[in-house]
Amino acid sequence: AGLKLFPGQNNITGQTLSAQPTMTVQYYTALGPGGGLVWESGEAGGATIIEASGLDSAFPLWTVPGPSTNPTLTNITTGQSITWQGTVPAGQTLEIDMDKQTATLAGANVYAFVSGDWIRIDPGSNRMTYVGTGATQASTLSWNNIVG
């Protein structure tokens, strides 16, 4: 079953399945015509279950704060995995945009170091993992969950 959202603030919770770096999920949902957007978020360590509403797949922006070496994001549900091969230094941020298929580190193009699949979040339940050697902060997934 998908996530049912209500007017106002809605919270998404993650289910911790193992001791790994944390991952934060953030996205926007429509409140209706002229109603604006509401920020949605949830956080858990290891494998996180994301319940996504909507009718279409979403292609998130993945943000990885340093330090993290060879950060890897996997959607176990779809079998997709993406890795950035290198080290994100402390104080810098890696951004991988699955929709635009771009990668930047501290604003510089680092697309050449990306391998794997451009991850999608399908409607319903998605089991996600983030692994990064030496990671001390949560990575973030964000997308605009408005259909149409």
Side-chain angles (χ1 to χ4, degrees):
L3 179 68
K4 184 171 183 173
L5 299 173
F6 299 92
Q9 182 175 345
N10 294 266
N11 295 312
I12 300 170
T13 58
Q15 175 182 357
T16 301
L17 302 175
S18 65
Q20 293 290 327
T22 59
M23 176 174 37
T24 301
V25 180
Q26 302 172 334
Y27 67 97
Y28 295 100
T29 55
L31 289 180
L37 303 172
V38 174
W39 186 258
E40 307 292 341
S41 67
E43 182 175 307
T48 300
I49 307 296
I50 297 171
E51 294 289 340
S53 63
L55 301 176
D56 293 327
S57 296
F59 295 88
L61 172 66
W62 181 35
T63 305
V64 181
S68 184
T69 300
N70 299 325
T72 300
L73 177 67
T74 303
N75 185 334
I76 296 169
T77 303
T78 64
Q80 297 174 309
S81 185
I82 191 166
T83 299
W84 186 75
Q85 299 165 343
T87 297
V88 181
Q92 294 188 13
T93 302
L94 170 69
E95 291 188 347
I96 297 180
D97 190 322
M98 306 300 169
D99 186 41
K100 296 178 184 173
Q101 298 185 358
T102 60
T104 58
L105 175 62
N109 182 348
V110 293
Y111 175 85
F113 301 101
V114 174
S115 64
D117 307 304
W118 297 103
I119 302 276
R120 71 178 186 274
I121 307 295
D122 286 339
S125 183
N126 292 261
R127 185 173 178 211
M128 306 290 295
T129 62
Y130 160 53
V131 177
T133 303
T136 60
Q137 300 181 59
S139 74
T140 302
L141 291 177
S142 58
W143 68 93
N144 185 335
N145 202 32
I146 298 173
V147 177

